[in-house]
Amino acid sequence: TPRGSRRGHIRMTTVLGAATRAACAFTTQRASRASARRVIPRAASLRDAQPRGPIALLPRQRRRGDLAVAGGKGPGGGAFGDAEELMKKYGDAALATGEFIGAKSGMKPAGRRARASAKSDEGNGVFLLLLINVALFVADQWLHVGFVKSLYLNHMHPCWWQFVTSIFCHANWAHLSSNIFFLYVFGKIVEEEEGAFGVWFSYLFTGIGAGLASYIMLPKAAGGLLGVGAAATVSLGASGAVFGLFAIGVLTKVRADFRKLLEAVILGQFVVERFLSEARMAAAAGGIGAGGVNHVAHLAGALVGVALIWTLQKLLPPE
């Protein structure tokens, strides 16, 4: 019928119009893609993609402020060439600045190099003391170098320098072995708190004090200066200084800090026990025990160490 044919014509026209619009859109899209492929045909770099054309390339000698070339690779080979170059150039300076700020703020240094530099000077003081003690023992007892005997403290005819040199000499291996063990343990403790100068000063000061006490209280020969104890002609050994380090190592730990107080208690009970044991043996033997052990030097070294810390606390301002 006419009405039906008219409806069919309108429907056919609508379908053809939609198909035409879809074909035009598809053709336009293909053309744009082909045009894009022709502009940059899978370029390996920006220089290959546009050797000449309206888009200007950055000059070969770029200013320092230029950071990257879009789509290309810088001299470092990375996607952000200039940025990588700047990081390589200023990265070490930034690391050093960060370590400096951390050190000033009390933070521990980070990194292998920082830890190595922080530990490079630890223990030098006590190891030098150990080296001198061992070297003199080898020269005296093994190589039999004659002059080392003159370094002993001679109670009959003392020289002033013998009060220093005698605290580095030892009579036998057992004497040396026990002294260098405790020197290492308590010397390290003192050096951690007071540094290399502190452990050296403590060793010399308490050792000389122990030698002076031995010279005054023990006999020069039978009868002695004060008539105390058995006969003795020479004094040698680091034990007086070691007992001084016993006392100083404990007292430097006494502060308002739980961990330091705990360390002081652990070390202190050992030191007090050793001191009381020496006092009992000194009282029983009259100053010199079996085997020629100089108990007076041990007690005097510990007391001199206590006196040194007490004096420094009075003279120096609190931290």
Side-chain angles (χ1 to χ4, degrees), residues 123-141 147-148 151-152 164-170 173 176 179-180 183 196 199-200 203-204 237-238:
N124 289 341
V126 69
F127 276 110
L128 185 56
L129 288 172
L130 293 169
L131 179 62
I132 295 174
N133 278 272
V134 173
L136 284 177
F137 175 80
V138 171
D140 184 17
Q141 303 297 326
F147 85 93
V148 181
L151 303 180
Y152 300 171
V164 178
T165 58
S166 63
I167 63 178
F168 294 95
C169 301
H170 293 84
W173 173 252
L176 174 71
N179 280 344
I180 60 175
L183 172 58
V199 71
W200 263 88
Y203 182 91
L204 293 174

Side-chain angles (χ1 to χ4, degrees), residues 27-41:
T27 304
T28 304
Q29 186 177 6
R30 290 289 300 272
S32 62
R33 290 180 179 176
S35 175
R37 285 196 297 269
R38 284 193 298 271
V39 173
I40 304 177

Side-chain angles (χ1 to χ4, degrees), residues 239-260:
S239 52
V242 168
F243 268 78
L245 294 178
F246 283 174
I248 294 172
V250 173
L251 294 177
T252 53
K253 296 286 186 181
V254 179
R255 63 186 68 176
D257 181 273
F258 175 75
R259 293 178 60 182
K260 297 294 183 181

Side-chain angles (χ1 to χ4, degrees), residues 210 239-240 243-244 274-275 278 293-303:
S239 52
F243 268 78
R274 290 297 300 267
F275 183 86
E278 290 291 326
V293 177
N294 190 346
H295 300 296
V296 170
H298 297 173
L299 296 173
L303 293 176

Side-chain angles (χ1 to χ4, degrees), residues 72-97:
K73 296 184 179 180
F80 304 96
D82 288 358
E84 291 179 357
E85 191 173 358
L86 288 173
M87 288 300 295
K88 291 179 181 178
K89 185 174 183 180
Y90 299 109
D92 291 339
L95 178 61
T97 303

Side-chain angles (χ1 to χ4, degrees), residues 165-228:
T165 58
S166 63
I167 63 178
F168 294 95
C169 301
H170 293 84
N172 51 55
W173 173 252
H175 189 202
L176 174 71
S177 177
S178 60
N179 280 344
I180 60 175
F181 173 78
F182 288 114
L183 172 58
Y184 173 76
V185 174
F186 282 86
K188 290 278 287 184
I189 292 172
V190 174
E191 186 167 7
E192 287 175 0
E193 298 292 334
E194 306 299 332
F197 175 80
V199 71
W200 263 88
F201 182 81
S202 300
Y203 182 91
L204 293 174
F205 191 84
T206 57
I208 293 172
L212 286 171
S214 298
Y215 174 72
I216 293 172
M217 298 186 67
L218 296 180
K220 298 178 181 179
L225 182 63
L226 299 179
V228 178

